[in-house]
Amino acid sequence: MKRKQTDTAVPKNISFRQILRFFLFSPILFLCISYQAAQAAVVEHSGIIAADTTWSAVDVHLITGTVTVNAGVTLTIEPGTVVKFNPYRELDINGSLLAQGNASEPIIFTSYRDDTVGGDTNGDGLSYGQPGDWYRIYFSDTVNETFSSFEYVTVRFGGGSNNACIYTYRTDITISSSTISDSSSSGIYIYGGSPTLDSNIITNNAGHGLYLEHWQGGSPTISNNTISNNGQC
C-alpha cells in the first residue's frame, strides 16, 4: 500500500533559505543564544586593595585569596552584584565598604559552590552552597563608618573555622535590611564598639544568631531584627 505523505513532510517548494530562517528565529534557539550571551564574566580577586575600587554588577566576583581593603580606601559594590568566596577566604575591611543594594537588587556574598546566583562559577555542574564554605566579612577598628554602608545585602554559607559570617571589631558600622544565614558558626559577632543593626533577618545559623562580646563602654543599637532558627540563643 502506498503511504500517504504526512503533514510533517517538507513541501518541495520550500527553499533551504526558508528552512534556515525558521531555525534561526525559532524561540528555543533564540533563548539558547540569549542565555549564552547573558553569561557573566568571572573576575577573580585576591590580596590588597590599595586604591578606591568598584565591583560591577555586570560580573561575578570570585574571591580566590583573602581580600583586604586598606585604611583610607573605599570598596564600592554595585546593587545586584554577586560575590563568591573560595574555601578559607574572607573580606577584611580596614577602610570603607560601600555595599548598598536595594530591595530588588540585593548584593549577595556567598559560596563558590552556590549556583543559584551567578551561575556555575567553578564549573563543576549543579551544586549548592554549604555552611562553612568560606570564612567571613571582617570590619576592623579602622573602618570609616561615615563612608560605609551595608544595606540590602545577603550573606550566606560562611562561618568556616568557627568564624561568624560577619565580625565587627570595635567599630560603629551600620548593618540594615540584610539577611545573614546558613553560617556554620554565628551569624554576626560583635566585639566592642557601637554598631547599629536594624531590620535584618538573621536565621539558620549553626551558632548564635547574634553574639556580643566586650561591648561594655559601647552602645550597640539593635532594633527591628528577626533572629530565629539559630543553633544557640
Side-chain angles (χ1 to χ4, degrees), residues 1 4 7 34 41-42 51 71 74 82 92 99 103 106 109 135 187 200 217 219:
M1 183 182 290
K4 263 189 179 177
D7 291 338
S34 298
V42 177
T74 300
V82 175
D92 293 341
F109 293 97
Y135 279 175
N200 300 292
S219 302

Side-chain angles (χ1 to χ4, degrees), residues 43-49 55 62-68 89:
V43 180
E44 297 184 352
H45 303 279
S46 179
I48 293 172
I49 297 178
W55 289 358
L62 179 63
I63 294 184
T64 58
T66 292
V67 171
T68 301
R89 303 303 183 231

